[in-house]
Amino acid sequence: MSVLTNPRSERVKAVRALGRRAARQRSGRFVADGPQSVREALRFAPHTVLDLYVDGSVADRHRDLVELARTAQLHVHECDPAVMSALVDTQHPQGIVAVCRPVDVPVAEALAADGGFVVVLAQVRDPGNAGTVIRSADAAGARAVLLSDASVDLYNPKVVRSTAGSLWHLPIALGGAVDELIAACHARGRRVFAADGAGTTLLHDADLTGPHAWLMGNEAWGLDAETRELTDDVVRVPIHGHAESLNLALAATVCMYASADRATSAD
Amino acid sequence: MSVLTNPRSERVKAVRALGRRAARQRSGRFVADGPQSVREALRFAPHTVLDLYVDGSVADRHRDLVELARTAQLHVHECDPAVMSALVDTQHPQGIVAVCRPVDVPVAEALAADGGFVVVLAQVRDPGNAGTVIRSADAAGARAVLLSDASVDLYNPKVVRSTAGSLWHLPIALGGAVDELIAACHARGRRVFAADGAGTTLLHDADLTGPHAWLMGNEAWGLDAETRELTDDVVRVPIHGHAESLNLALAATVCMYASADRATSAD
């Protein structure tokens, strides 16, 4: 295996460019950076992994992943530390990077599974929030995540990292106006609950027994009144102390775990 | 009111130095940066606010806070934008900064309130995690937060910002070894529940009816077996999908909201 040593090569520049949305959209590629992301991509969607780059000086640490990749008949490029640093724009490169094809699915496919709950993110803008909600949706057992249009790019490196591998674990659909996504949930027999501080129904009292969708608003402006009107109920996470609110990821997680807990109780 | 215009003055340097732990410890001061922190400090602990700095060019935006400060007979220093930028090390200064005295209380005082639940953070290191847990402890109605020794400094600017004002809302105690904090909770009649992925009791089945404390481990290494032995039960937040875990702040929030919900059900 030849070792890549030129951090200024066209190949390296092309990978680094994937840090920018325009380059991702043009090429239909994105980057999974670090062993956790790479492992979950290889385990759950090996056919979407196109190239794997491993820093030879730390390759021992990632031997299991290289094995996984070879089993999947993928190209494994060994590179030196300078090339690894040039591939991704992170302060602490972790020695392994994969170039991947998108994993999002059409809305209809994300909503194909019956029962349980899904989560719809309306115009979420912060990469950390979006990624963290995907991670906790996975943990809480959501059937799918839907991101409306005007949301942060799912393949932004910070989103990918914040999902902690959950990006590859459950169906995620992108795009569509919020009202279209609400209608799609209704058409599949799901009640839609807006999670909003303006809600009059407390989370504890929400009827989470049937198939449903949680609709989470934007971190700054929440959900507008028109959108809330389209939902079946507006549900509020109670604030017991003097805090003004919970942030988006925390509120979403509390709501989703209430759904999961209700499902457990019903067993 | 004279306007401060010299970003290199000793006064300005002394405030900026409070971004560093050593300077905070030497002076017994820290900085509340931005309207949310300043407002909560003025509302909940005005006697701990020593100086207020307002950027005159945006003073209109903060008129209510300046009024609050004057009612509390505080010094309000008007400054120009260059001085505001020099006061704090943030990319987007929000035009208002307060120099404050610490608000933490002794462990015994934090544990003085009976009933409900408290949260104990064992060697939490990430500023965002610590601040976010304090914010959600406030929202979930915790009686107090205890940070063990070897934790991140509560007055680190990133911690302060992440609390979103909750720093001033509930009793917070600092220091003490984890086993001492567990013993202190026991002595006050609280059962202590370790939240840990190694737990055999599912959150849904934990007995959260009496007074209790949630013990959260470090983000990277969790809680060691010896510490778990000291607790009354080790409780696991169920992971339903393929996610490896929830992060510290999410897990803590789910546990604390389970406590709050159980209290609601018992009403």
Side-chain angles (χ1 to χ4, degrees):
Chain A
M1 184 161 70
S2 72
V3 177
L4 303 177
T5 57
N6 180 7
R8 279 170 299 276
S9 72
E10 288 308 313
R11 168 185 284 280
V12 172
K13 281 185 197 160
V15 175
R16 191 183 180 93
L18 297 175
R20 296 193 311 272
R21 187 170 194 158
R24 290 193 296 275
Q25 288 181 329
R26 203 165 45 230
S27 65
R29 305 276 183 271
F30 75 102
V31 166
D33 178 20
Q36 188 176 41
S37 290
V38 171
R39 176 175 296 112
E40 301 313 295
L42 288 171
R43 287 178 61 204
F44 286 84
H47 54 288
T48 67
V49 181
L50 301 169
D51 281 299
L52 195 68
Y53 296 88
V54 181
D55 176 349
S57 69
V58 295
D60 271 5
R61 216 190 283 163
H62 303 306
R63 203 179 306 158
D64 58 326
L65 298 180
V66 171
E67 276 309 308
L68 258 182
R70 291 210 170 114
T71 308
Q73 300 191 290
L74 295 173
H75 298 282
V76 179
H77 304 277
E78 190 174 326
C79 62
D80 69 11
V83 167
M84 183 51 66
S85 294
L87 283 170
V88 286
D89 184 22
T90 38
Q91 281 194 305
H92 306 288
Q94 296 180 273
I96 191 159
V97 157
V99 174
C100 304
R101 271 203 298 266
V103 291
D104 57 280
V105 300
V107 171
E109 191 179 327
L111 291 176
D114 288 324
F117 67 94
V118 301
V119 59
V120 181
L121 296 177
Q123 304 182 348
V124 58
R125 295 290 169 84
D126 179 76
N129 277 338
T132 303
V133 172
I134 290 168
R135 176 181 180 178
S136 61
D138 181 16
R143 298 286 198 269
V145 177
L146 286 71
L147 275 79
S148 82
D149 53 13
S151 294
V152 63
D153 181 23
L154 179 64
Y155 302 108
N156 174 313
K158 283 187 194 161
V159 177
V160 174
R161 198 176 315 129
S162 304
T163 71
S166 293
L167 176 62
W168 290 274
H169 291 166
L170 77 174
I172 304 177
L174 302 181
V178 178
D179 56 350
E180 290 166 13
L181 296 178
I182 293 171
C185 289
H186 279 150
R188 291 286 309 162
R190 292 187 177 279
R191 301 186 76 203
V192 177
F193 298 114
D196 196 289
T200 48
T201 300
L202 279 173
L203 178 58
H204 185 78
D205 301 321
D207 178 10
L208 305 175
T209 48
H212 59 280
W214 281 109
L215 174 63
M216 310 299 306
N218 169 279
E219 30 298 71
W221 62 81
L223 293 166
D224 58 38
E226 270 176 45
T227 304
R228 294 201 303 263
E229 284 285 311
L230 299 173
T231 66
D232 297 279
D233 204 352
V234 183
V235 175
R236 178 161 53 93
V237 176
I239 302 292
H240 299 279
H242 299 289
E244 210 176 284
S245 63
L246 289 171
N247 75 27
L248 170 65
L250 294 175
T253 304
V254 170
C255 290
M256 293 190 290
Y257 264 93
S259 296
D261 192 50
R262 226 58 66 89
T264 307
S265 310
D267 279 351
Chain B
M1 182 162 69
S2 71
V3 176
L4 303 176
T5 58
N6 180 5
R8 279 170 299 276
S9 71
E10 289 308 313
R11 167 184 285 278
V12 172
K13 281 186 198 160
V15 175
R16 190 182 180 93
L18 298 175
R20 297 194 309 272
R21 187 170 194 159
R24 291 194 295 273
Q25 288 181 328
R26 203 166 46 230
S27 65
R29 305 277 183 269
F30 75 102
V31 165
D33 178 19
Q36 188 176 40
S37 291
V38 170
R39 176 176 298 111
E40 301 314 294
L42 288 171
R43 286 178 62 203
F44 286 83
H47 54 288
T48 66
V49 181
L50 301 169
D51 281 299
L52 195 69
Y53 296 88
V54 181
D55 176 349
S57 69
V58 297
D60 271 4
R61 217 190 282 163
H62 302 307
R63 203 179 307 158
D64 58 326
L65 298 181
V66 172
E67 276 309 308
L68 258 182
R70 292 210 169 115
T71 308
Q73 299 192 291
L74 296 172
H75 298 281
V76 179
H77 305 277
E78 191 173 327
C79 62
D80 67 13
V83 166
M84 182 51 64
S85 294
L87 283 171
V88 284
D89 184 21
T90 40
Q91 281 194 306
H92 306 289
Q94 296 181 274
I96 192 158
V97 157
V99 174
C100 304
R101 270 201 299 264
V103 290
D104 57 280
V105 299
V107 171
E109 191 178 327
L111 290 175
D114 289 323
F117 66 95
V118 301
V119 58
V120 181
L121 295 176
Q123 304 183 349
V124 58
R125 294 289 168 84
D126 178 77
N129 277 339
T132 303
V133 172
I134 291 168
R135 178 182 179 177
S136 62
D138 182 15
R143 299 284 199 270
V145 177
L146 285 72
L147 275 79
S148 82
D149 53 15
S151 295
V152 62
D153 181 23
L154 178 64
Y155 302 109
N156 174 313
K158 284 186 194 163
V159 177
V160 174
R161 198 176 315 129
S162 304
T163 71
S166 292
L167 176 62
W168 290 274
H169 291 166
L170 76 174
I172 304 176
L174 302 182
V178 178
D179 55 351
E180 290 166 13
L181 296 178
I182 294 171
C185 290
H186 279 151
R188 292 287 308 164
R190 293 188 178 278
R191 300 186 75 203
V192 177
F193 298 114
D196 196 289
T200 49
T201 300
L202 279 173
L203 178 58
H204 185 78
D205 301 320
D207 178 10
L208 304 175
T209 47
H212 58 280
W214 280 110
L215 174 64
M216 310 298 307
N218 171 278
E219 330 39 2
W221 63 79
L223 293 166
D224 58 37
E226 270 176 44
T227 304
R228 295 201 302 262
E229 284 283 310
L230 300 173
T231 66
D232 297 278
D233 204 352
V234 184
V235 175
R236 178 162 53 93
V237 176
I239 303 292
H240 300 278
H242 301 289
E244 209 176 285
S245 64
L246 289 170
N247 74 27
L248 170 65
L250 293 175
T253 304
V254 170
C255 290
M256 292 191 290
Y257 264 94
S259 296
D261 192 49
R262 226 58 68 89
T264 306
S265 309
D267 280 350

